[in-house]
Amino acid sequence: MNTKIIPYGRQNITQEDIDSVIEALLSDYLTQGPRIKEFEDQFAKYVGSKYAVAVANGTAALHLCALALDVKQGEKVITTPITFAASANCVRYCGGEVVFSDIDPSTFLLDIDKVRKLLEASPAGTYKGIIPVDFAGRAVDLEAYRKLADQYGLWIIEDACHAPGGYFVDSRNTIQKCGNGIYADLAIFSFHPVKHIACGEGGMITTNDHALYNKLLALRTHGITKNEMEYSNSIDFACGQKSETEQYPGWYMEMQTLGFNYRITDFQAALGISQLQRASEGQYKRNAIALNYATAFKDLPFIKGQSGVVEGHAYHLYIIEVEDRLGLYNHLKENNVFAQIHYIPCHLMPYYKQFGWKEGDMPKAEDYYKKCISLPMYPTLTAEEQKFIIDKIILFYNG
Ligand SMILES: Cc1ncc(COP(=O)(O)O)c(C=O)c1O
């Protein structure tokens, strides 16, 4: 019996991480300090984008993206049902309508052919954007999505929460890292503890679009700008008296649009910077764990589908598809292995059912949900622990 609990995912906090946070706590800044820009710059470099905006969490990142792209009441946006609800909810925050489209059962990702059919079947202008998700860490082919989006004048938000470090290879044989801003207008990441980089809570938006970048910076802090080139009130008004110098005073700022407080703190950014130094090493370990699973399950008839070994997969999750998933889940739990299910199809959440979504609407996603189970996957999972998990799975089916 394994006495140590093995979760499906967990953070890895080192002494360097702790030291970095303590240093930040002892500095002059708790909130908007220098570490935030440093984290943004280093993260942008890591994923290959021009700009990055650090925010409070991945959900806030999605909300700000939907606001920056001006999603309005009733506007339709397409996404996958196999994702965390936040990918869809950001559209609802702005009053837009979420249109789910089914997955490709061989990749577990949003099926582009089905998205194309949806677009073809509606008058031009029906849809405003697409939110593909690099689900489980598998990179979406954004080159193909960009082509389709351009045909219909749509924007793309890449939900890359599962895939910092992931990539796909485009038609010019070039590696395109998740979140690099080449094909998507905006990309978002989460720094929740089970993700590749942990900040406690935290998120990041990446883009190559300067105008969107500026909008995001303002929206993150109440819609306030401190750029005097953008001010609309007069210098005399700002000074509260006739100005001698024709300069805006030091305290002045303008709230020009309705924004939020979606800032991250400086000590969370300190943790993020420290974690980022080990991101490549962590990815290497995730790949090795994926290879072990894939090799062990290769010829087992009770494994109906699996994440497998896929180039550029960031392996946030390692998913297998099995019959009697409930039995396997409980059997693993009895052995202190806490697998997880990703995800309950979003269109069948009671909140989304009220808009008319029902069982049978997304047959591939619903079939996937009946069989999927995410096995432990994190860089500090040991070889013995992984062997234990694999042995328990084989024991459950072979007795
Ligand atoms: C695919 C996906 N999108 C968005 C989010 C939201 O991120 P956060 O939990 O940081 O708000 C998550 C987090 O679990 C996620 O997995």
Side-chain angles (χ1 to χ4, degrees), residues 2 4 6-7 284-297 306 308-309 315 317-320 332 337 375-394:
N2 173 45
K4 192 177 151 205
I6 306 178
Y284 182 79
K285 290 189 176 151
R286 286 175 187 272
N287 291 351
I289 293 166
L291 177 61
N292 283 345
Y293 277 137
T295 308
F297 298 147
Q306 60 171 319
V309 176
Y315 293 109
L317 303 172
Y318 196 92
I319 298 166
I320 58 172
L332 290 174
V337 176
L375 303 179
M377 165 58 86
Y378 46 91
T380 52
L381 184 74
T382 65
E384 297 75 55
E385 285 167 337
Q386 196 179 10
K387 183 173 181 315
F388 178 80
I389 297 159
I390 292 166
D391 288 349
K392 289 293 166 203
I393 295 171
I394 294 172

mmCIF file of all heavy atoms in Angstrom, residues 2 4 6-7 284-297 306 308-309 315 317-320 332 337 375-394:
data_model
loop_
_atom_site.group_PDB
_atom_site.id
_atom_site.type_symbol
_atom_site.label_atom_id
_atom_site.label_comp_id
_atom_site.label_asym_id
_atom_site.label_seq_id
_atom_site.Cartn_x
_atom_site.Cartn_y
_atom_site.Cartn_z
ATOM 1 N N ASN A 2 0.538 2.155 -0.898
ATOM 2 C CA ASN A 2 1.253 3.425 -0.965
ATOM 3 C C ASN A 2 0.654 4.370 0.076
ATOM 4 O O ASN A 2 -0.517 4.699 0.020
ATOM 5 C CB ASN A 2 1.091 3.988 -2.377
ATOM 6 C CG ASN A 2 1.662 5.379 -2.497
ATOM 7 O OD1 ASN A 2 2.758 5.635 -2.011
ATOM 8 N ND2 ASN A 2 0.923 6.254 -3.130
ATOM 9 N N LYS A 4 1.841 7.476 0.761
ATOM 10 C CA LYS A 4 1.967 8.876 0.341
ATOM 11 C C LYS A 4 0.909 9.167 -0.724
ATOM 12 O O LYS A 4 0.728 8.385 -1.659
ATOM 13 C CB LYS A 4 3.369 9.070 -0.242
ATOM 14 C CG LYS A 4 3.749 10.503 -0.442
ATOM 15 C CD LYS A 4 5.184 10.588 -0.962
ATOM 16 C CE LYS A 4 5.332 11.838 -1.804
ATOM 17 N NZ LYS A 4 6.400 11.730 -2.779
ATOM 18 N N ILE A 6 -0.566 10.583 -3.972
ATOM 19 C CA ILE A 6 -0.044 11.023 -5.275
ATOM 20 C C ILE A 6 -1.174 11.761 -5.982
ATOM 21 O O ILE A 6 -2.137 11.148 -6.432
ATOM 22 C CB ILE A 6 0.431 9.821 -6.135
ATOM 23 C CG1 ILE A 6 1.437 8.959 -5.357
ATOM 24 C CG2 ILE A 6 1.031 10.314 -7.445
ATOM 25 C CD1 ILE A 6 1.922 7.719 -6.118
ATOM 26 N N PRO A 7 -1.070 13.092 -6.071
ATOM 27 C CA PRO A 7 -2.129 13.858 -6.748
ATOM 28 C C PRO A 7 -1.941 13.821 -8.267
ATOM 29 O O PRO A 7 -0.928 13.329 -8.751
ATOM 30 C CB PRO A 7 -1.915 15.274 -6.209
ATOM 31 C CG PRO A 7 -0.445 15.349 -5.932
ATOM 32 C CD PRO A 7 0.024 13.942 -5.601
ATOM 33 N N TYR A 284 11.076 19.097 -19.685
ATOM 34 C CA TYR A 284 11.867 17.910 -20.026
ATOM 35 C C TYR A 284 11.382 16.710 -19.198
ATOM 36 O O TYR A 284 11.178 15.607 -19.714
ATOM 37 C CB TYR A 284 13.338 18.233 -19.741
ATOM 38 C CG TYR A 284 14.282 17.129 -20.087
ATOM 39 C CD1 TYR A 284 14.676 16.906 -21.395
ATOM 40 C CD2 TYR A 284 14.781 16.295 -19.071
ATOM 41 C CE1 TYR A 284 15.542 15.864 -21.713
ATOM 42 C CE2 TYR A 284 15.650 15.260 -19.381
ATOM 43 C CZ TYR A 284 16.025 15.049 -20.697
ATOM 44 O OH TYR A 284 16.869 14.029 -20.997
ATOM 45 N N LYS A 285 11.125 16.959 -17.913
ATOM 46 C CA LYS A 285 10.666 15.867 -17.027
ATOM 47 C C LYS A 285 9.263 15.423 -17.404
ATOM 48 O O LYS A 285 8.945 14.227 -17.388
ATOM 49 C CB LYS A 285 10.723 16.313 -15.571
ATOM 50 C CG LYS A 285 12.164 16.446 -15.111
ATOM 51 C CD LYS A 285 12.279 16.681 -13.623
ATOM 52 C CE LYS A 285 13.738 16.704 -13.209
ATOM 53 N NZ LYS A 285 13.983 17.537 -12.047
ATOM 54 N N ARG A 286 8.400 16.375 -17.722
ATOM 55 C CA ARG A 286 7.034 16.016 -18.149
ATOM 56 C C ARG A 286 7.084 15.126 -19.397
ATOM 57 O O ARG A 286 6.336 14.152 -19.512
ATOM 58 C CB ARG A 286 6.218 17.274 -18.440
ATOM 59 C CG ARG A 286 5.778 18.020 -17.182
ATOM 60 C CD ARG A 286 5.083 19.330 -17.533
ATOM 61 N NE ARG A 286 4.804 20.112 -16.336
ATOM 62 C CZ ARG A 286 3.704 19.998 -15.588
ATOM 63 N NH1 ARG A 286 2.757 19.154 -15.943
ATOM 64 N NH2 ARG A 286 3.541 20.728 -14.501
ATOM 65 N N ASN A 287 7.968 15.495 -20.348
ATOM 66 C CA ASN A 287 8.088 14.691 -21.576
ATOM 67 C C ASN A 287 8.526 13.264 -21.245
ATOM 68 O O ASN A 287 8.026 12.303 -21.832
ATOM 69 C CB ASN A 287 9.107 15.318 -22.538
ATOM 70 C CG ASN A 287 8.616 16.625 -23.120
ATOM 71 O OD1 ASN A 287 7.464 17.001 -22.941
ATOM 72 N ND2 ASN A 287 9.482 17.330 -23.819
ATOM 73 N N ALA A 288 9.457 13.140 -20.288
ATOM 74 C CA ALA A 288 9.963 11.811 -19.921
ATOM 75 C C ALA A 288 8.845 10.979 -19.275
ATOM 76 O O ALA A 288 8.707 9.781 -19.547
ATOM 77 C CB ALA A 288 11.151 11.955 -18.974
ATOM 78 N N ILE A 289 8.043 11.618 -18.438
ATOM 79 C CA ILE A 289 6.930 10.919 -17.774
ATOM 80 C C ILE A 289 5.905 10.476 -18.823
ATOM 81 O O ILE A 289 5.388 9.341 -18.795
ATOM 82 C CB ILE A 289 6.290 11.831 -16.693
ATOM 83 C CG1 ILE A 289 7.280 12.050 -15.552
ATOM 84 C CG2 ILE A 289 4.986 11.229 -16.171
ATOM 85 C CD1 ILE A 289 6.913 13.177 -14.591
ATOM 86 N N ALA A 290 5.633 11.355 -19.793
ATOM 87 C CA ALA A 290 4.685 11.014 -20.868
ATOM 88 C C ALA A 290 5.196 9.809 -21.660
ATOM 89 O O ALA A 290 4.429 8.890 -21.978
ATOM 90 C CB ALA A 290 4.494 12.214 -21.791
ATOM 91 N N LEU A 291 6.481 9.813 -21.935
ATOM 92 C CA LEU A 291 7.066 8.704 -22.703
ATOM 93 C C LEU A 291 6.915 7.387 -21.925
ATOM 94 O O LEU A 291 6.563 6.348 -22.505
ATOM 95 C CB LEU A 291 8.541 9.002 -23.016
ATOM 96 C CG LEU A 291 9.310 7.914 -23.759
ATOM 97 C CD1 LEU A 291 8.689 7.639 -25.132
ATOM 98 C CD2 LEU A 291 10.786 8.318 -23.950
ATOM 99 N N ASN A 292 7.139 7.435 -20.620
ATOM 100 C CA ASN A 292 6.975 6.232 -19.784
ATOM 101 C C ASN A 292 5.548 5.704 -19.843
ATOM 102 O O ASN A 292 5.327 4.499 -19.990
ATOM 103 C CB ASN A 292 7.297 6.532 -18.316
ATOM 104 C CG ASN A 292 8.781 6.612 -18.081
ATOM 105 O OD1 ASN A 292 9.569 6.191 -18.916
ATOM 106 N ND2 ASN A 292 9.165 7.184 -16.949
ATOM 107 N N TYR A 293 4.575 6.609 -19.687
ATOM 108 C CA TYR A 293 3.169 6.181 -19.750
ATOM 109 C C TYR A 293 2.872 5.562 -21.119
ATOM 110 O O TYR A 293 2.286 4.478 -21.219
ATOM 111 C CB TYR A 293 2.231 7.375 -19.534
ATOM 112 C CG TYR A 293 1.968 7.773 -18.096
ATOM 113 C CD1 TYR A 293 1.970 9.120 -17.730
ATOM 114 C CD2 TYR A 293 1.667 6.819 -17.112
ATOM 115 C CE1 TYR A 293 1.697 9.518 -16.421
ATOM 116 C CE2 TYR A 293 1.397 7.217 -15.797
ATOM 117 C CZ TYR A 293 1.416 8.560 -15.459
ATOM 118 O OH TYR A 293 1.143 8.943 -14.173
ATOM 119 N N ALA A 294 3.266 6.306 -22.170
ATOM 120 C CA ALA A 294 2.929 5.872 -23.536
ATOM 121 C C ALA A 294 3.529 4.492 -23.814
ATOM 122 O O ALA A 294 2.873 3.624 -24.417
ATOM 123 C CB ALA A 294 3.424 6.898 -24.544
ATOM 124 N N THR A 295 4.750 4.276 -23.361
ATOM 125 C CA THR A 295 5.425 2.992 -23.592
ATOM 126 C C THR A 295 4.712 1.885 -22.816
ATOM 127 O O THR A 295 4.448 0.806 -23.354
ATOM 128 C CB THR A 295 6.909 3.090 -23.140
ATOM 129 O OG1 THR A 295 7.472 4.233 -23.764
ATOM 130 C CG2 THR A 295 7.690 1.853 -23.514
ATOM 131 N N ALA A 296 4.370 2.172 -21.578
ATOM 132 C CA ALA A 296 3.730 1.145 -20.733
ATOM 133 C C ALA A 296 2.343 0.765 -21.266
ATOM 134 O O ALA A 296 1.913 -0.385 -21.131
ATOM 135 C CB ALA A 296 3.612 1.660 -19.303
ATOM 136 N N PHE A 297 1.645 1.719 -21.878
ATOM 137 C CA PHE A 297 0.256 1.471 -22.287
ATOM 138 C C PHE A 297 0.117 1.058 -23.752
ATOM 139 O O PHE A 297 -0.995 0.780 -24.202
ATOM 140 C CB PHE A 297 -0.591 2.750 -22.064
ATOM 141 C CG PHE A 297 -0.670 3.193 -20.623
ATOM 142 C CD1 PHE A 297 -0.749 4.547 -20.298
ATOM 143 C CD2 PHE A 297 -0.667 2.267 -19.585
ATOM 144 C CE1 PHE A 297 -0.829 4.965 -18.973
ATOM 145 C CE2 PHE A 297 -0.742 2.678 -18.250
ATOM 146 C CZ PHE A 297 -0.815 4.025 -17.953
ATOM 147 N N GLN A 306 -5.044 7.624 -25.660
ATOM 148 C CA GLN A 306 -4.146 8.248 -24.685
ATOM 149 C C GLN A 306 -3.453 9.449 -25.292
ATOM 150 O O GLN A 306 -3.424 9.605 -26.516
ATOM 151 C CB GLN A 306 -3.119 7.234 -24.173
ATOM 152 C CG GLN A 306 -2.219 6.637 -25.236
ATOM 153 C CD GLN A 306 -1.089 5.807 -24.634
ATOM 154 O OE1 GLN A 306 -0.494 6.186 -23.628
ATOM 155 N NE2 GLN A 306 -0.775 4.663 -25.236
ATOM 156 N N GLY A 308 -0.373 9.942 -25.532
ATOM 157 C CA GLY A 308 0.720 9.463 -26.388
ATOM 158 C C GLY A 308 1.932 10.368 -26.354
ATOM 159 O O GLY A 308 2.055 11.241 -25.499
ATOM 160 N N VAL A 309 2.843 10.135 -27.310
ATOM 161 C CA VAL A 309 4.031 10.987 -27.399
ATOM 162 C C VAL A 309 3.851 11.856 -28.636
ATOM 163 O O VAL A 309 3.825 11.369 -29.758
ATOM 164 C CB VAL A 309 5.317 10.138 -27.503
ATOM 165 C CG1 VAL A 309 6.527 11.040 -27.702
ATOM 166 C CG2 VAL A 309 5.490 9.315 -26.237
ATOM 167 N N TYR A 315 2.312 18.604 -22.063
ATOM 168 C CA TYR A 315 1.963 17.639 -21.006
ATOM 169 C C TYR A 315 1.647 18.271 -19.660
ATOM 170 O O TYR A 315 2.220 17.922 -18.637
ATOM 171 C CB TYR A 315 3.057 16.563 -20.860
ATOM 172 C CG TYR A 315 3.109 15.692 -22.082
ATOM 173 C CD1 TYR A 315 4.169 15.763 -22.980
ATOM 174 C CD2 TYR A 315 2.062 14.831 -22.376
ATOM 175 C CE1 TYR A 315 4.189 14.993 -24.136
ATOM 176 C CE2 TYR A 315 2.074 14.069 -23.529
ATOM 177 C CZ TYR A 315 3.142 14.151 -24.394
ATOM 178 O OH TYR A 315 3.133 13.406 -25.527
ATOM 179 N N LEU A 317 -1.291 17.677 -18.707
ATOM 180 C CA LEU A 317 -2.035 16.487 -18.279
ATOM 181 C C LEU A 317 -1.615 15.293 -19.125
ATOM 182 O O LEU A 317 -1.265 15.457 -20.303
ATOM 183 C CB LEU A 317 -3.540 16.703 -18.509
ATOM 184 C CG LEU A 317 -4.190 17.916 -17.836
ATOM 185 C CD1 LEU A 317 -5.624 18.082 -18.345
ATOM 186 C CD2 LEU A 317 -4.182 17.757 -16.320
ATOM 187 N N TYR A 318 -1.667 14.097 -18.517
ATOM 188 C CA TYR A 318 -1.562 12.874 -19.315
ATOM 189 C C TYR A 318 -2.896 12.147 -19.174
ATOM 190 O O TYR A 318 -3.265 11.707 -18.081
ATOM 191 C CB TYR A 318 -0.404 11.967 -18.879
ATOM 192 C CG TYR A 318 -0.126 10.958 -19.973
ATOM 193 C CD1 TYR A 318 0.820 11.239 -20.953
ATOM 194 C CD2 TYR A 318 -0.860 9.781 -20.074
ATOM 195 C CE1 TYR A 318 1.037 10.358 -22.004
ATOM 196 C CE2 TYR A 318 -0.652 8.908 -21.121
ATOM 197 C CZ TYR A 318 0.303 9.203 -22.079
ATOM 198 O OH TYR A 318 0.507 8.339 -23.138
ATOM 199 N N ILE A 319 -3.609 12.047 -20.301
ATOM 200 C CA ILE A 319 -4.970 11.511 -20.269
ATOM 201 C C ILE A 319 -5.009 10.158 -20.950
ATOM 202 O O ILE A 319 -4.428 9.978 -22.024
ATOM 203 C CB ILE A 319 -5.928 12.494 -20.991
ATOM 204 C CG1 ILE A 319 -5.940 13.835 -20.245
ATOM 205 C CG2 ILE A 319 -7.344 11.910 -21.095
ATOM 206 C CD1 ILE A 319 -6.569 14.966 -21.009
ATOM 207 N N ILE A 320 -5.703 9.209 -20.313
ATOM 208 C CA ILE A 320 -6.007 7.945 -21.000
ATOM 209 C C ILE A 320 -7.523 7.812 -21.069
ATOM 210 O O ILE A 320 -8.250 8.418 -20.275
ATOM 211 C CB ILE A 320 -5.369 6.704 -20.319
ATOM 212 C CG1 ILE A 320 -5.820 6.578 -18.854
ATOM 213 C CG2 ILE A 320 -3.859 6.741 -20.430
ATOM 214 C CD1 ILE A 320 -5.374 5.265 -18.190
ATOM 215 N N LEU A 332 -7.795 3.563 -8.001
ATOM 216 C CA LEU A 332 -6.583 4.375 -7.803
ATOM 217 C C LEU A 332 -6.675 5.154 -6.491
ATOM 218 O O LEU A 332 -5.710 5.243 -5.732
ATOM 219 C CB LEU A 332 -6.368 5.324 -8.989
ATOM 220 C CG LEU A 332 -5.960 4.651 -10.309
ATOM 221 C CD1 LEU A 332 -5.915 5.658 -11.450
ATOM 222 C CD2 LEU A 332 -4.604 3.944 -10.189
ATOM 223 N N VAL A 337 -3.850 7.226 -5.026
ATOM 224 C CA VAL A 337 -3.511 7.910 -6.279
ATOM 225 C C VAL A 337 -4.747 8.702 -6.701
ATOM 226 O O VAL A 337 -5.785 8.114 -7.012
ATOM 227 C CB VAL A 337 -3.109 6.903 -7.384
ATOM 228 C CG1 VAL A 337 -2.867 7.628 -8.712
ATOM 229 C CG2 VAL A 337 -1.872 6.105 -6.954
ATOM 230 N N LEU A 375 -3.988 11.098 -15.434
ATOM 231 C CA LEU A 375 -3.081 10.426 -14.489
ATOM 232 C C LEU A 375 -2.080 11.430 -13.912
ATOM 233 O O LEU A 375 -1.829 12.467 -14.535
ATOM 234 C CB LEU A 375 -2.343 9.304 -15.219
ATOM 235 C CG LEU A 375 -3.244 8.254 -15.870
ATOM 236 C CD1 LEU A 375 -2.399 7.208 -16.588
ATOM 237 C CD2 LEU A 375 -4.150 7.587 -14.819
ATOM 238 N N PRO A 376 -1.500 11.114 -12.763
ATOM 239 C CA PRO A 376 -0.522 12.038 -12.187
ATOM 240 C C PRO A 376 0.562 12.444 -13.187
ATOM 241 O O PRO A 376 1.119 11.595 -13.885
ATOM 242 C CB PRO A 376 0.053 11.245 -11.011
ATOM 243 C CG PRO A 376 -1.121 10.396 -10.576
ATOM 244 C CD PRO A 376 -1.787 9.988 -11.871
ATOM 245 N N MET A 377 0.793 13.743 -13.271
ATOM 246 C CA MET A 377 1.777 14.300 -14.212
ATOM 247 C C MET A 377 2.327 15.587 -13.626
ATOM 248 O O MET A 377 1.634 16.607 -13.587
ATOM 249 C CB MET A 377 1.092 14.543 -15.557
ATOM 250 C CG MET A 377 1.851 15.433 -16.532
ATOM 251 S SD MET A 377 3.495 14.841 -16.967
ATOM 252 C CE MET A 377 3.167 13.739 -18.320
ATOM 253 N N TYR A 378 3.531 15.509 -13.082
ATOM 254 C CA TYR A 378 4.224 16.712 -12.599
ATOM 255 C C TYR A 378 5.706 16.362 -12.458
ATOM 256 O O TYR A 378 6.052 15.187 -12.242
ATOM 257 C CB TYR A 378 3.638 17.203 -11.263
ATOM 258 C CG TYR A 378 3.410 16.151 -10.210
ATOM 259 C CD1 TYR A 378 4.409 15.841 -9.277
ATOM 260 C CD2 TYR A 378 2.217 15.444 -10.152
ATOM 261 C CE1 TYR A 378 4.207 14.869 -8.311
ATOM 262 C CE2 TYR A 378 2.004 14.465 -9.185
ATOM 263 C CZ TYR A 378 3.000 14.185 -8.271
ATOM 264 O OH TYR A 378 2.804 13.205 -7.323
ATOM 265 N N PRO A 379 6.580 17.376 -12.604
ATOM 266 C CA PRO A 379 8.014 17.094 -12.700
ATOM 267 C C PRO A 379 8.611 16.303 -11.540
ATOM 268 O O PRO A 379 9.582 15.573 -11.728
ATOM 269 C CB PRO A 379 8.645 18.488 -12.779
ATOM 270 C CG PRO A 379 7.585 19.342 -13.356
ATOM 271 C CD PRO A 379 6.286 18.797 -12.846
ATOM 272 N N THR A 380 8.032 16.415 -10.332
ATOM 273 C CA THR A 380 8.647 15.715 -9.201
ATOM 274 C C THR A 380 8.064 14.316 -8.984
ATOM 275 O O THR A 380 8.420 13.650 -8.009
ATOM 276 C CB THR A 380 8.500 16.543 -7.897
ATOM 277 O OG1 THR A 380 7.124 16.886 -7.736
ATOM 278 C CG2 THR A 380 9.335 17.810 -7.941
ATOM 279 N N LEU A 381 7.200 13.874 -9.886
ATOM 280 C CA LEU A 381 6.692 12.489 -9.792
ATOM 281 C C LEU A 381 7.888 11.548 -10.001
ATOM 282 O O LEU A 381 8.608 11.657 -11.000
ATOM 283 C CB LEU A 381 5.635 12.258 -10.890
ATOM 284 C CG LEU A 381 4.925 10.911 -10.891
ATOM 285 C CD1 LEU A 381 3.922 10.837 -9.747
ATOM 286 C CD2 LEU A 381 4.178 10.693 -12.217
ATOM 287 N N THR A 382 8.103 10.625 -9.062
ATOM 288 C CA THR A 382 9.295 9.774 -9.173
ATOM 289 C C THR A 382 9.008 8.557 -10.063
ATOM 290 O O THR A 382 7.846 8.201 -10.301
ATOM 291 C CB THR A 382 9.742 9.254 -7.791
ATOM 292 O OG1 THR A 382 8.706 8.387 -7.297
ATOM 293 C CG2 THR A 382 9.986 10.379 -6.802
ATOM 294 N N ALA A 383 10.082 7.916 -10.506
ATOM 295 C CA ALA A 383 9.954 6.712 -11.346
ATOM 296 C C ALA A 383 9.202 5.628 -10.577
ATOM 297 O O ALA A 383 8.372 4.913 -11.153
ATOM 298 C CB ALA A 383 11.334 6.235 -11.757
ATOM 299 N N GLU A 384 9.463 5.494 -9.262
ATOM 300 C CA GLU A 384 8.788 4.462 -8.453
ATOM 301 C C GLU A 384 7.290 4.761 -8.366
ATOM 302 O O GLU A 384 6.462 3.848 -8.475
ATOM 303 C CB GLU A 384 9.344 4.400 -7.014
ATOM 304 C CG GLU A 384 10.808 4.017 -6.888
ATOM 305 C CD GLU A 384 11.736 5.162 -7.275
ATOM 306 O OE1 GLU A 384 11.606 6.258 -6.696
ATOM 307 O OE2 GLU A 384 12.583 4.958 -8.172
ATOM 308 N N GLU A 385 6.979 6.035 -8.159
ATOM 309 C CA GLU A 385 5.558 6.405 -8.068
ATOM 310 C C GLU A 385 4.853 6.122 -9.402
ATOM 311 O O GLU A 385 3.742 5.598 -9.429
ATOM 312 C CB GLU A 385 5.420 7.904 -7.711
ATOM 313 C CG GLU A 385 5.741 8.185 -6.259
ATOM 314 C CD GLU A 385 5.917 9.668 -5.947
ATOM 315 O OE1 GLU A 385 6.214 10.453 -6.869
ATOM 316 O OE2 GLU A 385 5.786 10.037 -4.771
ATOM 317 N N GLN A 386 5.531 6.453 -10.491
ATOM 318 C CA GLN A 386 4.898 6.225 -11.794
ATOM 319 C C GLN A 386 4.708 4.723 -12.048
ATOM 320 O O GLN A 386 3.671 4.295 -12.558
ATOM 321 C CB GLN A 386 5.725 6.861 -12.922
ATOM 322 C CG GLN A 386 4.892 6.960 -14.195
ATOM 323 C CD GLN A 386 5.613 7.604 -15.363
ATOM 324 O OE1 GLN A 386 6.823 7.832 -15.303
ATOM 325 N NE2 GLN A 386 4.877 7.864 -16.433
ATOM 326 N N LYS A 387 5.697 3.932 -11.658
ATOM 327 C CA LYS A 387 5.583 2.475 -11.828
ATOM 328 C C LYS A 387 4.405 1.956 -10.997
ATOM 329 O O LYS A 387 3.623 1.106 -11.445
ATOM 330 C CB LYS A 387 6.887 1.791 -11.413
ATOM 331 C CG LYS A 387 6.852 0.286 -11.639
ATOM 332 C CD LYS A 387 8.184 -0.376 -11.390
ATOM 333 C CE LYS A 387 8.129 -1.877 -11.653
ATOM 334 N NZ LYS A 387 6.975 -2.569 -11.098
ATOM 335 N N PHE A 388 4.293 2.474 -9.781
ATOM 336 C CA PHE A 388 3.198 2.080 -8.884
ATOM 337 C C PHE A 388 1.838 2.361 -9.549
ATOM 338 O O PHE A 388 0.936 1.523 -9.558
ATOM 339 C CB PHE A 388 3.335 2.862 -7.564
ATOM 340 C CG PHE A 388 2.252 2.586 -6.568
ATOM 341 C CD1 PHE A 388 2.286 1.442 -5.769
ATOM 342 C CD2 PHE A 388 1.193 3.476 -6.409
ATOM 343 C CE1 PHE A 388 1.274 1.187 -4.845
ATOM 344 C CE2 PHE A 388 0.185 3.225 -5.487
ATOM 345 C CZ PHE A 388 0.220 2.081 -4.706
ATOM 346 N N ILE A 389 1.713 3.548 -10.140
ATOM 347 C CA ILE A 389 0.448 3.938 -10.796
ATOM 348 C C ILE A 389 0.158 2.985 -11.962
ATOM 349 O O ILE A 389 -0.960 2.458 -12.095
ATOM 350 C CB ILE A 389 0.538 5.407 -11.315
ATOM 351 C CG1 ILE A 389 0.735 6.374 -10.150
ATOM 352 C CG2 ILE A 389 -0.694 5.772 -12.145
ATOM 353 C CD1 ILE A 389 1.337 7.715 -10.547
ATOM 354 N N ILE A 390 1.157 2.769 -12.795
ATOM 355 C CA ILE A 390 0.978 1.914 -13.980
ATOM 356 C C ILE A 390 0.598 0.495 -13.534
ATOM 357 O O ILE A 390 -0.333 -0.118 -14.067
ATOM 358 C CB ILE A 390 2.273 1.908 -14.844
ATOM 359 C CG1 ILE A 390 2.480 3.302 -15.457
ATOM 360 C CG2 ILE A 390 2.210 0.830 -15.929
ATOM 361 C CD1 ILE A 390 3.856 3.542 -16.048
ATOM 362 N N ASP A 391 1.298 -0.036 -12.525
ATOM 363 C CA ASP A 391 1.007 -1.392 -12.016
ATOM 364 C C ASP A 391 -0.426 -1.484 -11.511
ATOM 365 O O ASP A 391 -1.117 -2.490 -11.730
ATOM 366 C CB ASP A 391 1.973 -1.773 -10.883
ATOM 367 C CG ASP A 391 3.374 -2.047 -11.410
ATOM 368 O OD1 ASP A 391 3.524 -2.152 -12.644
ATOM 369 O OD2 ASP A 391 4.310 -2.131 -10.582
ATOM 370 N N LYS A 392 -0.876 -0.444 -10.811
ATOM 371 C CA LYS A 392 -2.246 -0.475 -10.251
ATOM 372 C C LYS A 392 -3.286 -0.459 -11.373
ATOM 373 O O LYS A 392 -4.339 -1.087 -11.260
ATOM 374 C CB LYS A 392 -2.473 0.715 -9.300
ATOM 375 C CG LYS A 392 -1.721 0.601 -7.999
ATOM 376 C CD LYS A 392 -2.249 -0.542 -7.153
ATOM 377 C CE LYS A 392 -1.283 -0.870 -6.035
ATOM 378 N NZ LYS A 392 -1.400 -2.221 -5.491
ATOM 379 N N ILE A 393 -2.994 0.279 -12.442
ATOM 380 C CA ILE A 393 -3.940 0.323 -13.579
ATOM 381 C C ILE A 393 -4.014 -1.068 -14.227
ATOM 382 O O ILE A 393 -5.099 -1.590 -14.494
ATOM 383 C CB ILE A 393 -3.509 1.395 -14.615
ATOM 384 C CG1 ILE A 393 -3.600 2.794 -13.984
ATOM 385 C CG2 ILE A 393 -4.361 1.313 -15.886
ATOM 386 C CD1 ILE A 393 -2.997 3.914 -14.815
ATOM 387 N N ILE A 394 -2.853 -1.666 -14.440
ATOM 388 C CA ILE A 394 -2.820 -3.005 -15.082
ATOM 389 C C ILE A 394 -3.521 -4.020 -14.181
ATOM 390 O O ILE A 394 -4.328 -4.835 -14.646
ATOM 391 C CB ILE A 394 -1.355 -3.415 -15.401
ATOM 392 C CG1 ILE A 394 -0.800 -2.464 -16.483
ATOM 393 C CG2 ILE A 394 -1.279 -4.877 -15.848
ATOM 394 C CD1 ILE A 394 0.666 -2.611 -16.772
#
